[in-house]
Amino acid sequence: MERRITISNIQLMSLIAITSIGTSSLYAPATLARYAERNSWFLVLAGGAVGLLNLYVFLWLNRMYPDKNLIKICMHLLGPLVGGIVALGFIFYFLDITSWVLREFSQFFIIALNPIIPQNWYLIAGVVMCLYAVFHGLEVFARVTEIVFFITVATLLTIYLLLLNQYHPEYLFPVLEEGMIKPLSGLMISTSWFGDMMCVSMVLQHVRKTKRTMAYATWAIGITTILMLMSVLSCTMLFGAQTTETFTYPIVSLIQNIKLFRNIERFDAGLVAVWVMSSFIKITVYFWAAVQGLKDMLRIRKPRLFLIPLACGFFLCSKYKVWGLIELATFYDKQAWYFVSFQFFIPSLLLLIALMRRDSHKRRVSS
Amino acid sequence: MNARSGLMILAIGVCLLSSGCKGIMELNQLHIVHTVGIDAGRNNGVKITAEIARLSASGQQPKGMQDRTFYLSGEGNSLFEAARLMRTKTDRTLLWGHATVVVISKAAAEQGIGKHIMAIRKLRQFRNSTLVYVTEGKASEVLEATMPNATITSQALRGLSEGGESTALTQQTTLIDVYKDLINQYRDIHIPAVQLLEDPSGKKKSLLKSEGLYAFDNDRIVGLMKFRETKGYYRAMGSLSGSVETIPCGQHQTVSFENTSSNSRLKTYLDANGNPNVRIEINADLNLVSVQCEKSQEGTISLIKQWEEELNKAISDDVERFIAFSQKNHSDLLGIKERIHRKYPKHWKKIKDKWDEIYPTTKFSVEVHTRIDHTNFTT
Amino acid sequence: MNGNKTVLSDDVTENKRLLNERMQGTEDLVMSDAFNGQGEALTVCYLEGLIDSRRLEQTLVLYMENKRLFPAFRTDSKLHSIEEVTDCLVSGMTVLLFTEPAYGVAIDTLGVQLRNVEEPPSEATVKGSRSGFTESLYNNLALIRFQFPAASLKVEFRKVGYLSKTTIAVLSVGGITNAEILGEVHRRIGEISEDAILGSNDIEEWITDNRGTMFPLIESTERPDRVVGALLDGRIAVLVQGTPFALLLPFVFLQAFQVSEDYSWNYYIGSAMRVLRLLSGLIGMLLPAFYVATVTFHHELVPTPLLQSIAAAKEPVPFPAVVESTAMMLAFEIMREAGIRMPKQVGQAVSIVGALILGQAAVQAGIVSPIMVIVAALTGICTFTLPPTMMNYVIRVLQFGMTFLASLLGYVGITVGIIMLLTYLASLRSFGVPYLGPVAPFDMSELTDVLVRRPSTSKNRRPSLFRAINLNRNRGKTR
């Protein structure tokens, strides 16, 4: 009865890229500047490298179990009890991160646009929009992701290009005056942004695989790194590291520096579009992953019935999760290990176990 | 099922509608603020004045930026409080997002410009490209000046700032520039000065004039750089695009040149003792525009050479005057300290704390190469 | 209706009685007895007015002379039952009933006054072919055959509607059209269980993928050249007797912005027109929303002098921008609709009243601001640039929704609206082809083909979107 869901390589690429840059590149320069000042580009590169490693972990896991998603792999590898607990952990993580991103989504408008409109409205708008997409399923929002990907990349590139004559490359010097090690204190948070692409662990089994799947996935991390790098570099070169650090959303200030034809400025609308679209993709994909996980784990026949209660839950969670952006940012900043452990450490552990299993299995077979 | 979900959507829609469209600001509930003046208030407070455009009466064609204006002011302990208190005197909400110019009085700047700039940034509505001016007298009086053909002062001030491109006596300094300099500490702040002129025809003070730059040491105002220092500063920064240079020839007579392009190279290096030295090299192209003394020799190579040398002298004089001013007032407008930081990061750590003492003793050498391009090509 | 058929009897009067009964005693049924040369009795039956009497006469004379009925038969099979006879009668044939043995022969004598082939009013072109379909199915088929005289063009007739038995023709090209899609079309046509098909739109609603959608999932056109172009792309055309609109399927979203005239112009101009149409589609959908969002939420975006002018113009208007814009758009829609419905002679009055009352007077009375009039007018005109598929009505409806969202949340609302719209569009399929066409799933060469009208010399591949079997357009070497 269930038609096999497939998505293309480009859709996979867009999904990876959008979930990792779409939202974080708007505030990344500020956060990274706190750790590495004018060398934040270095953190991006380091984060990108770890991100690539992280991606390969998922790709490898997927190659070993081509028709299983992360939840099923957990259950398969660790048995129903331990595996179930780990899988539940993952599902909890998916649910949790959905509400985090939702909150982040609404917080942006409060800060950058208009503090008068009540937050609930934004939350409702966000929930409804994502609920609708999840209702239609992976194939549909993967297609939307493609469009969003082009719009986002084009908008961001246009912003950086239009500012070309305002950059001061000298703001980047001296390069790495504190050495290579000290800036790496922010590696965890940088990694956690790249790690947002861990949603692919649930998606990979649906990708119509070709020889180029690997290349596309790698490219996705490449594009992510390049765009993140551009965002960090242009902020640093335009404002200087210290100033960048004081902004909440440096890119908002960045776009306000664009001035066309003497009179037209404040292209905030472009950023609003990027933000809404990227957040939409990010929330949707995690929401979908959570639902998919629940379905696989509890063997639910009609997961669609769970969508509306879950959506209401997200709304409430996001609303009462934190009291404001400060707390949100602090959590992201200080508790990055929480994200990274689910994004990177546990999956790597799973991979290790899988590899050991296979080795021992082989040995048993050969002996 | 469908009817039920339809009803639900309807109910939600009605709820949303009846909760009132919060956050909506219709244009007829707004006053558009064009210029903001910040003065020192009583008890170390702040007085803020806003220039607001009067909207033309109905039935008439909209006049764009040619409408008359009126003024509102408020006083409070902080900028925000003053701005809010203004609302008590007006029938509409004020829209700050379109403020083109912020004029700060010298008295207010002496309180420390940092807090005002920070407060404005926090107001969030302000544009990055809002121009900043400092005036000797009261900011509110500057707002009330009327320039011919520009009834809104912000347009007049904006026009003035654009004149800097041909005179090199002022420049567009925006809010974000000031904020950047304030936070980054790469160099000290400078803000163009604006002055009210007495209109000879009437009693009313009406004309505005841009008048050099105010230099700051951190957020403390230290002094006004007059024309020559200002020009010298722009020369040294290499940000000068057009200006007039004159050299004397004979008695009370001058030869005038128009600057067409100018660039500079600033080099910092450490001498044997580890003291920073700065070398400024300036290349400029100029056009001859008027010669008041006898013209017989005009256009000969030797004369041009002579003029060029005199120009070199005049320009390096300007630059040196600026440097003297800057060193005297500890106002590191050129960002020498950051240049040293960039070039000698290790050495910088050692001298960082003593920079305030080092800067006035830093040796500057100025070298100017001018080239006179067109002499008398009259078409 | 049971499957049993009443066999024609040898008795002439009995046959007549049966026929009359079957036709509910209709009074336009003519049945006259005659004898042929051999003295054989025959009954000539036809429906008065439905036949061309001159043609009938010619045929009968020919028959009397040659004793044979060769040229005029559409089918040489004989009719044996009353039901068959009535079916032939209602579709405009004359039936000659013979006795001993009892059989009937149908002669095609259909003679209905139809209009001539003329320029299609809804898809007028400046350059390019000017013939449009008429109400006659066979004539339409002839027009297509005339434009595309290829042996591989296949026509399949189907009868739909259990009362009306409307003939519809399914056109495809052998070696190009994907058999799977063709099969699907036939399957869906088979599912039609309506009593009568009154037009191509009935068919469209029956065979569309998603019956609940407002978006056209099937294109309809009046132009034979567009049908031929579509057939060559591997699409399928469905023609319905009695409607001058051919259905083309599958249909993807971006095709709503193409017109066949693009191919009559230089390709740079054709491409520019396409992009222009896309742009005006966007403006048509978003401009009022954008205006409302900008003047109520995001005043910063407007250049200061312009905002000053807008504010001054809006000063006397007591309504919020949403109300103002909705009212204006509604007024525009009313005028447009009135313009279509009104007789041509009074049509002028609408435009005068519209321009004067809604433009000038409303502004002077302080009901709407002049800027809003400009916005409404531009929006309206933009939607007129689109080819007259359903799409431009859809865009007009979406305007209102977008404006509503914009009034709630500003640009955020608009973006949320766009996202939901995109999600919805992405979930649609037209005969298995994703509706968002080459954009998502993304295909670079297809996308350029949709946005850019390629020169004929380099257009050597068919779009793969419609799963054509043979993608190569040029024979042999591509040049």
Side-chain angles (χ1 to χ4, degrees):
Chain A
M1 170 209 146
E2 207 168 279
R3 208 164 51 85
R4 188 167 161 66
I5 301 166
T6 51
I7 65 172
S8 70
N9 285 334
I10 298 184
Q11 286 167 350
L12 174 75
M13 180 177 89
S14 320
L15 213 53
I16 296 177
I18 289 296
T19 44
S20 13
I21 42 158
T23 54
S24 57
S25 73
L26 267 70
Y27 50 74
T31 318
L32 292 181
R34 203 168 305 141
Y35 285 102
E37 295 212 333
R38 55 196 89 181
N39 299 316
S40 19
W41 54 268
F42 178 67
L43 260 184
V44 174
L45 287 181
V50 180
L52 200 61
L53 203 67
N54 198 346
L55 178 75
Y56 285 144
V57 168
F58 290 120
L59 286 175
W60 200 339
L61 270 175
N62 180 255
R63 209 167 51 192
M64 292 172 74
Y65 307 101
D67 51 352
K68 286 195 170 64
N69 59 26
L70 191 62
I71 301 294
K72 282 185 183 159
I73 293 175
C74 271
M75 311 270 270
H76 175 82
L77 272 179
L78 303 174
L81 188 67
V82 185
I85 291 168
V86 177
L88 259 185
F90 274 115
I91 292 169
F92 169 77
Y93 173 75
F94 290 145
L95 293 170
D96 190 41
I97 207 157
T98 312
S99 54
W100 278 115
V101 183
L102 191 60
R103 177 59 187 243
E104 213 182 296
F105 164 79
S106 68
Q107 205 70 44
F108 173 80
F109 303 116
I110 305 285
I111 307 274
L113 276 186
N114 195 336
I116 309 166
I117 298 183
Q119 192 174 35
N120 292 356
W121 286 44
Y122 291 122
L123 285 176
I124 291 173
V127 166
V128 168
M129 142 177 115
C130 299
L131 177 69
Y132 186 65
V134 174
F135 180 77
H136 279 299
L138 174 67
E139 252 178 356
V140 168
F141 76 74
R143 274 183 224 147
V144 179
T145 311
E146 262 175 304
I147 301 174
V148 169
F149 175 72
F150 291 115
I151 295 177
T152 306
V153 171
T155 316
L156 290 176
L157 284 183
T158 318
I159 295 174
Y160 304 142
L161 274 179
L162 283 176
L163 289 165
L164 211 56
N165 61 342
Q166 299 184 25
Y167 290 144
H168 302 276
E170 70 266 19
Y171 285 1
L172 291 174
F173 295 105
V175 176
L176 291 175
E177 88 188 284
E178 308 274 349
M180 306 252 288
I181 306 302
K182 201 171 168 228
L184 286 181
S185 58
L187 184 62
M188 196 66 117
I189 187 157
S190 167
T191 311
S192 80
W193 289 326
F194 280 95
D196 274 336
M197 56 86 202
M198 75 93 63
C199 59
V200 297
S201 62
M202 301 294 285
V203 175
L204 269 175
Q205 61 157 332
H206 296 294
V207 179
R208 195 182 301 117
K209 291 199 188 52
T210 60
K211 261 184 285 175
R212 304 237 295 271
T213 303
M214 188 84 163
Y216 271 106
T218 313
W219 256 111
I221 297 288
I223 291 174
T224 310
T225 316
I226 290 169
L227 280 177
M228 191 86 103
L229 207 57
M230 284 172 102
S231 115
V232 163
L233 281 180
S234 54
C235 280
T236 319
M237 290 199 294
L238 199 70
F239 299 126
Q242 286 89 336
T243 309
T244 307
E245 198 185 317
T246 61
F247 294 128
T248 319
Y249 296 106
I251 306 267
V252 176
S253 210
L254 205 63
I255 201 169
Q256 288 181 4
N257 265 27
I258 299 176
K259 194 170 184 175
L260 296 177
F261 311 118
R262 188 167 185 253
N263 265 326
I264 309 174
E265 49 186 322
R266 296 289 295 252
F267 293 93
D268 307 22
L271 271 189
V272 169
V274 167
W275 178 264
V276 174
M277 292 181 171
S278 321
S279 306
F280 159 75
I281 296 300
K282 206 165 159 183
I283 301 172
T284 309
V285 75
Y286 277 109
F287 193 165
W288 177 85
V291 173
Q292 198 70 13
L294 277 175
K295 183 187 132 194
D296 286 343
M297 171 125 179
L298 307 173
R299 302 210 174 75
I300 300 167
R301 210 84 57 67
K302 284 186 182 163
R304 278 187 176 185
L305 291 179
F306 282 72
L307 291 184
I308 292 180
L310 272 179
C312 295
F314 288 139
F315 170 72
L316 291 175
C317 270
S318 316
K319 191 164 159 51
Y320 298 109
K321 201 155 204 138
V322 286
W323 47 257
L325 188 78
I326 307 279
E327 204 184 328
L328 184 99
T330 319
F331 186 84
Y332 276 13
D333 209 359
K334 296 285 175 304
Q335 315 294 327
W337 58 267
Y338 162 69
F339 299 105
V340 177
S341 58
F342 276 106
Q343 289 160 347
F344 186 43
F345 296 138
I346 302 183
S348 314
L349 212 64
L350 280 178
L351 180 68
L352 267 180
I353 296 173
L355 285 175
M356 275 171 3
R357 275 274 187 91
R358 193 174 61 176
D359 281 355
S360 63
H361 184 69
K362 256 187 206 158
R363 230 173 289 138
R364 223 178 304 143
V365 170
S366 57
S367 68
Chain B
M1 177 64 201
N2 253 340
R4 213 186 306 159
S5 58
L7 263 177
M8 213 151 91
I9 290 170
L10 192 75
I12 293 172
V14 169
C15 285
L16 283 179
L17 274 182
S18 57
S19 74
C21 300
K22 267 198 176 177
I24 281 193
M25 302 236 258
E26 289 291 337
L27 280 177
N28 4 16
Q29 304 163 0
L30 289 175
H31 276 318
I32 303 168
V33 175
H34 288 282
T35 324
V36 178
I38 298 173
D39 282 306
R42 277 159 298 176
N43 302 333
N44 214 12
V46 185
K47 184 182 169 220
I48 182 167
T49 316
E51 186 197 34
I52 297 158
R54 221 185 276 275
L55 299 175
S56 50
S58 68
Q60 287 177 4
Q61 278 185 327
K63 286 181 179 161
M65 299 300 275
Q66 291 300 322
D67 283 314
R68 297 258 141 218
T69 54
F70 64 97
Y71 308 94
L72 280 175
S73 61
E75 202 170 329
N77 287 323
S78 72
L79 204 79
F80 187 74
E81 190 188 349
R84 268 296 146 90
L85 288 179
M86 279 164 79
R87 184 68 175 86
T88 56
K89 296 185 196 165
T90 160
D91 55 332
R92 297 175 179 193
T93 314
L94 299 181
L95 176 69
W96 300 93
H98 276 274
T100 320
V101 179
V102 174
V103 183
I104 302 171
S105 74
K106 198 179 167 199
E110 271 160 1
Q111 296 174 335
I113 196 159
K115 70 173 186 191
H116 296 310
I117 298 292
M118 290 303 181
I120 290 178
R121 286 289 312 177
K122 282 256 189 287
L123 268 174
R124 194 184 51 89
Q125 277 189 348
F126 278 89
R127 299 173 170 229
N128 277 354
S129 64
T130 307
L131 299 173
V132 184
Y133 275 103
V134 170
T135 181
E136 175 84 46
K138 283 194 156 181
S140 58
E141 281 168 10
V142 171
L143 300 198
E144 279 158 31
T146 48
M147 292 284 269
N149 215 9
T151 49
I152 298 177
T153 314
S154 72
Q155 296 303 299
L157 285 171
R158 191 173 167 195
L160 275 184
S161 72
E162 278 160 6
E165 279 166 25
S166 54
T167 59
L169 299 178
T170 182
Q171 204 180 25
Q172 291 201 321
T173 303
T174 60
L175 206 54
I176 192 75
D177 291 338
V178 176
Y179 182 73
K180 254 165 65 179
D181 290 345
L182 199 63
I183 302 281
N184 282 343
Q185 302 273 324
Y186 289 168
R187 62 174 186 190
D188 278 316
I189 308 169
H190 60 274
I191 296 176
V194 66
Q195 211 70 30
L196 267 180
L197 285 188
E198 299 277 350
D199 191 353
S201 62
K203 267 189 192 166
K204 229 172 73 183
K205 286 180 177 175
S206 72
L207 286 180
L208 291 173
K209 184 185 173 215
S210 58
E211 204 194 35
L213 295 173
Y214 274 105
F216 287 72
D217 177 13
N218 274 336
D219 75 339
R220 198 173 49 83
I221 193 162
V222 289
L224 176 69
M225 299 201 293
K226 293 280 189 195
F227 289 164
R228 293 193 62 184
E229 285 92 346
T230 308
K231 216 149 81 176
Y233 168 59
Y234 287 140
R235 280 260 185 235
M237 281 300 279
S239 57
L240 179 141
S241 58
S243 79
V244 180
E245 298 293 338
T246 51
I247 49 174
C249 87
Q251 250 190 337
H252 305 304
Q253 284 180 325
T254 53
V255 184
S256 311
F257 297 91
E258 179 201 8
N259 197 79
T260 52
S261 82
S262 170
N263 57 57
S264 76
R265 258 210 313 232
L266 243 137
K267 271 190 191 159
T268 52
Y269 55 93
L270 301 174
D271 64 11
N273 305 327
N275 290 326
N277 281 6
V278 182
R279 225 171 76 107
I280 303 175
E281 253 179 68
I282 294 166
N283 289 303
D285 289 352
L286 297 104
N287 277 349
L288 178 69
V289 282
S290 97
V291 185
Q292 289 171 342
C293 41
E294 56 196 87
K295 297 178 182 180
S296 56
Q297 293 163 313
E298 186 184 318
T300 61
I301 292 173
S302 62
L303 184 63
I304 289 177
K305 194 134 204 126
Q306 187 198 330
W307 279 345
E308 280 179 353
E309 262 156 33
E310 285 176 42
L311 273 173
N312 288 350
K313 180 79 182 48
I315 290 172
S316 65
D317 256 12
D318 285 350
V319 177
E320 270 155 16
R321 277 178 76 131
F322 156 70
I323 290 166
F325 174 92
S326 143
Q327 286 187 319
K328 195 181 112 216
N329 290 307
H330 296 272
S331 181
D332 183 8
L333 291 179
L334 289 174
I336 302 297
K337 70 174 176 184
E338 189 56 26
R339 283 170 203 268
I340 291 173
H341 178 192
R342 281 179 198 138
K343 205 165 169 189
Y344 306 103
K346 292 215 179 83
H347 187 73
W348 168 248
K349 274 184 192 152
K350 279 181 267 171
I351 61 169
K352 194 160 71 178
D353 300 327
K354 292 180 290 180
W355 177 250
D356 281 345
E357 290 113 69
I358 295 173
Y359 181 63
T361 60
T362 307
K363 282 200 197 77
F364 283 84
S365 56
V366 182
E367 207 174 297
V368 184
H369 306 281
T370 53
R371 199 167 66 88
I372 296 171
D373 231 12
H374 293 182
T375 51
N376 193 21
F377 301 140
T378 320
T379 49
Chain C
M1 193 164 59
N2 52 13
N4 300 336
K5 288 185 173 171
T6 326
V7 182
L8 286 170
S9 76
D10 278 345
D11 182 2
V12 178
T13 33
E14 175 63 10
N15 277 348
K16 277 187 184 173
R17 193 189 63 77
L18 283 172
L19 267 181
N20 232 332
E21 193 180 308
R22 174 114 187 107
M23 301 284 283
Q24 316 294 328
T26 181
E27 288 173 4
D28 57 349
L29 177 64
V30 177
M31 291 177 286
S32 53
D33 298 329
F35 294 94
N36 68 357
Q38 285 95 353
E40 218 178 324
L42 68 143
T43 316
V44 184
C45 312
Y46 57 89
L47 287 172
E48 181 119 55
L50 193 58
I51 59 146
D52 187 346
S53 52
R54 190 175 302 162
R55 250 170 89 188
L56 175 64
E57 198 182 315
Q58 277 173 6
T59 328
L60 284 180
V61 168
L62 217 65
Y63 168 66
M64 298 300 178
E65 284 170 1
N66 292 350
K67 320 281 178 281
R68 286 169 68 200
L69 282 165
F70 55 88
F73 292 141
R74 226 175 55 70
T75 46
D76 55 356
S77 61
K78 294 173 178 174
L79 312 171
H80 294 287
S81 70
I82 292 291
E83 282 76 16
E84 283 168 353
V85 173
T86 49
D87 282 355
C88 287
L89 284 177
V90 290
S91 51
M93 295 183 190
T94 302
V95 178
L96 308 181
L97 293 178
F98 297 90
T99 47
E100 287 163 15
Y103 69 95
V105 171
I107 314 168
D108 187 13
T109 53
L110 180 69
V112 182
Q113 271 303 314
L114 290 172
R115 59 192 178 94
N116 294 327
V117 172
E118 50 195 33
E119 189 168 4
S122 68
E123 282 171 274
T125 54
V126 179
K127 224 177 146 191
S129 147
R130 287 186 200 279
S131 55
F133 287 137
T134 63
E135 279 74 11
S136 157
L137 173 65
Y138 300 108
N139 191 20
N140 293 348
L141 285 177
L143 282 175
I144 293 169
R145 287 259 188 217
F146 174 72
Q147 282 235 339
F148 182 52
S152 53
L153 175 63
K154 185 168 101 180
V155 180
E156 290 162 280
F157 287 111
R158 299 286 300 263
K159 298 258 188 199
V160 291
Y162 65 83
L163 280 185
S164 71
K165 303 258 166 47
T166 312
T167 315
I168 64 175
V170 180
L171 273 66
S172 54
V173 182
I176 294 177
T177 314
N178 185 308
E180 224 173 282
I181 297 179
L182 188 61
E184 180 67 22
V185 172
H186 279 295
R187 196 185 63 73
R188 290 189 193 175
I189 288 174
E191 281 177 0
I192 300 178
S193 57
E194 213 175 335
D195 52 357
I197 295 297
L198 298 180
S200 58
N201 194 52
D202 276 354
I203 305 276
E204 181 177 338
E205 278 174 24
W206 273 100
I207 64 176
T208 182
D209 285 60
N210 185 342
R211 290 180 188 161
T213 185
M214 173 164 73
F215 287 88
L217 295 178
I218 292 171
E219 184 187 359
S220 61
T221 180
E222 270 191 280
R223 304 180 56 85
D225 56 338
R226 200 167 163 99
V227 172
V228 173
L231 286 172
L232 285 173
D233 281 349
R235 297 165 72 195
I236 294 164
V238 176
L239 278 75
V240 181
Q241 177 76 287
T243 325
F245 287 96
L247 302 178
L248 299 177
L249 48 100
F251 179 58
V252 296
F253 180 71
L254 282 179
Q255 281 180 319
F257 300 92
Q258 301 179 347
V259 295
S260 50
E261 199 182 352
D262 290 345
Y263 290 93
S264 316
W265 291 101
N266 173 294
Y267 39 87
Y268 293 111
I269 293 167
S271 311
M273 296 292 173
R274 274 192 188 175
V275 175
L276 181 79
R277 249 174 265 128
L278 206 63
L279 198 71
S280 45
L282 267 183
I283 293 178
M285 187 168 72
L286 294 178
L287 185 65
F290 198 70
Y291 171 77
V292 168
T294 310
V295 301
T296 51
F297 287 97
H298 311 272
H299 311 102
E300 290 84 6
L301 185 75
V302 194
T304 315
L306 182 61
L307 187 77
Q308 188 78 29
S309 301
I310 296 177
K314 192 135 191 321
E315 195 59 28
V317 181
F319 306 115
V322 209
V323 175
E324 205 189 343
S325 99
T326 315
M328 261 332 259
M329 276 146 54
L330 211 59
F332 186 89
E333 291 305 304
I334 292 170
M335 286 208 310
R336 186 192 53 76
E337 185 64 18
I340 295 173
R341 299 284 156 251
M342 263 186 167
K344 283 227 171 66
Q345 291 81 351
V346 276
Q348 209 122 54
V350 176
S351 50
I352 292 171
V353 166
L356 243 68
I357 306 288
L358 291 172
Q360 192 77 16
V363 169
Q364 277 178 357
I367 297 171
V368 290
S369 62
I371 306 283
M372 192 58 236
V373 176
I374 297 172
V375 169
L378 183 60
T379 314
I381 291 186
C382 276
T383 54
F384 284 134
T385 58
L386 302 188
T389 49
M390 272 290 291
M391 201 59 86
N392 68 46
Y393 291 89
V394 172
I395 283 178
R396 293 214 191 94
V397 175
L398 288 177
Q399 267 171 24
F400 289 92
M402 288 292 179
T403 312
F404 176 70
L405 283 176
S407 75
L408 286 181
L409 287 178
Y411 293 155
V412 184
I414 298 180
T415 321
V416 168
I418 291 175
I419 283 278
M420 300 214 5
L421 183 66
L422 280 179
T423 314
Y424 181 64
L425 288 177
S427 75
L428 291 177
R429 276 166 183 276
S430 172
F431 288 85
V433 177
Y435 195 49
L436 272 184
V439 188
F442 182 73
D443 187 329
M444 193 62 202
S445 81
E446 297 288 305
L447 187 61
T448 42
D449 203 35
V450 172
L451 295 179
V452 176
R453 126 73 165 122
R454 284 198 179 140
S456 301
T457 43
S458 68
K459 205 175 64 180
N460 45 29
R461 282 179 66 77
R462 288 177 219 293
S464 62
L465 204 60
F466 307 112
R467 313 213 183 110
I469 300 169
N470 178 6
L471 287 179
N472 200 6
R473 258 182 204 275
N474 295 11
R475 179 184 298 182
K477 262 186 279 177
T478 54
R479 195 208 76 82

